[in-house]
Amino acid sequence: MLLLIARGASLRATKSSASPELKETYTRARQLCQHLEDPQQLFPVLRGLYGYYNVRAEYQTGQALGEQLFALAQQAQDAAMLMVAHRAIGQTLLWLGALAAAHTHLAQGIALYNPQQHRTSAFLYGEDAGVVCHSFAAWVLWHLGYPDQGLAQNQEALTLAQQIAHPFNLSIA
């Protein structure tokens, strides 16, 4: 299972989140996880599938996977997982035009974020959830008519990305 999760992260970095190989890898991992009933292993698998569908603009499927992530995070009572779930739901809601709901989820993800504790998520998921939450919160605020607040969120994303020194996060910010 862990090898499939690691392979998925590698495929995301080398092929893209939209690659058929990535989908196949995470789909196989999901099949294996169904027998384990372990939220800690299923979560990164669903997160990988979420990324695949979201990048391909299949937002309804992405939203459903985001909700599954949220349910798993609540079941596990894991703040890091909950932060990633809020990030996933918030981004998808942004793309769907549900700006107020997107802002709520992204703000909750930001509130849960602790750079020292969550820095390793950049290597598990290929991105830092704090950077992404701040970046997309900036977009949401701008669209809602608060450009100054959006700029402040974007500056926070950039500061975090520079501290992490992870190239993909720098490009997001």
Side-chain angles (χ1 to χ4, degrees):
M1 178 62 55
L2 295 176
L3 289 176
L4 288 173
I5 293 169
R7 182 172 193 261
S10 295
L11 286 169
R12 180 172 186 223
T14 59
K15 299 272 187 176
S16 91
S17 292
S19 74
E21 298 93 343
L22 182 124
K23 180 185 178 191
E24 291 169 16
T25 298
Y26 282 125
T27 299
R28 177 67 181 134
R30 186 179 193 180
Q31 291 167 346
L32 293 172
C33 279
Q34 299 302 329
H35 304 292
L36 297 177
E37 297 182 18
D38 179 1
Q40 296 291 337
Q41 293 210 14
L42 181 57
F43 192 86
V45 171
L46 293 180
R47 170 57 186 85
L49 284 171
Y50 157 81
Y52 171 81
Y53 288 106
N54 205 47
V55 164
R56 296 174 60 86
E58 296 181 35
Y59 300 128
Q60 299 304 325
T61 303
Q63 185 67 16
L65 287 163
E67 296 296 338
Q68 289 176 35
L69 290 170
F70 190 76
L72 277 175
Q74 288 182 313
Q75 175 188 342
Q77 297 180 353
D78 185 305
M81 289 168 55
L82 194 56
M83 175 192 57
V84 171
H86 279 299
R87 169 258 180 265
I89 294 169
Q91 181 184 355
T92 304
L93 288 170
L94 166 62
W95 299 146
L96 290 170
L99 299 177
H103 185 262
T104 298
H105 279 283
L106 294 167
Q108 289 173 343
I110 290 167
L112 290 167
Y113 182 71
N114 179 321
Q116 287 72 35
Q117 289 181 326
H118 302 132
R119 196 155 280 159
T120 58
S121 72
F123 301 100
L124 179 60
Y125 303 117
E127 65 188 27
D128 181 86
V131 171
V132 175
C133 282
H134 281 289
S135 293
F136 286 115
W139 287 35
V140 168
L141 288 164
W142 182 79
H143 284 293
L144 287 171
Y146 303 103
D148 292 340
Q149 291 177 35
L151 183 60
Q153 285 291 335
N154 193 66
Q155 187 57 49
E156 185 63 30
L158 187 57
T159 299
L160 285 171
Q162 289 168 338
Q163 291 170 355
I164 296 166
H166 185 269
F168 187 69
N169 287 292
L170 285 168
S171 70
I172 290 172

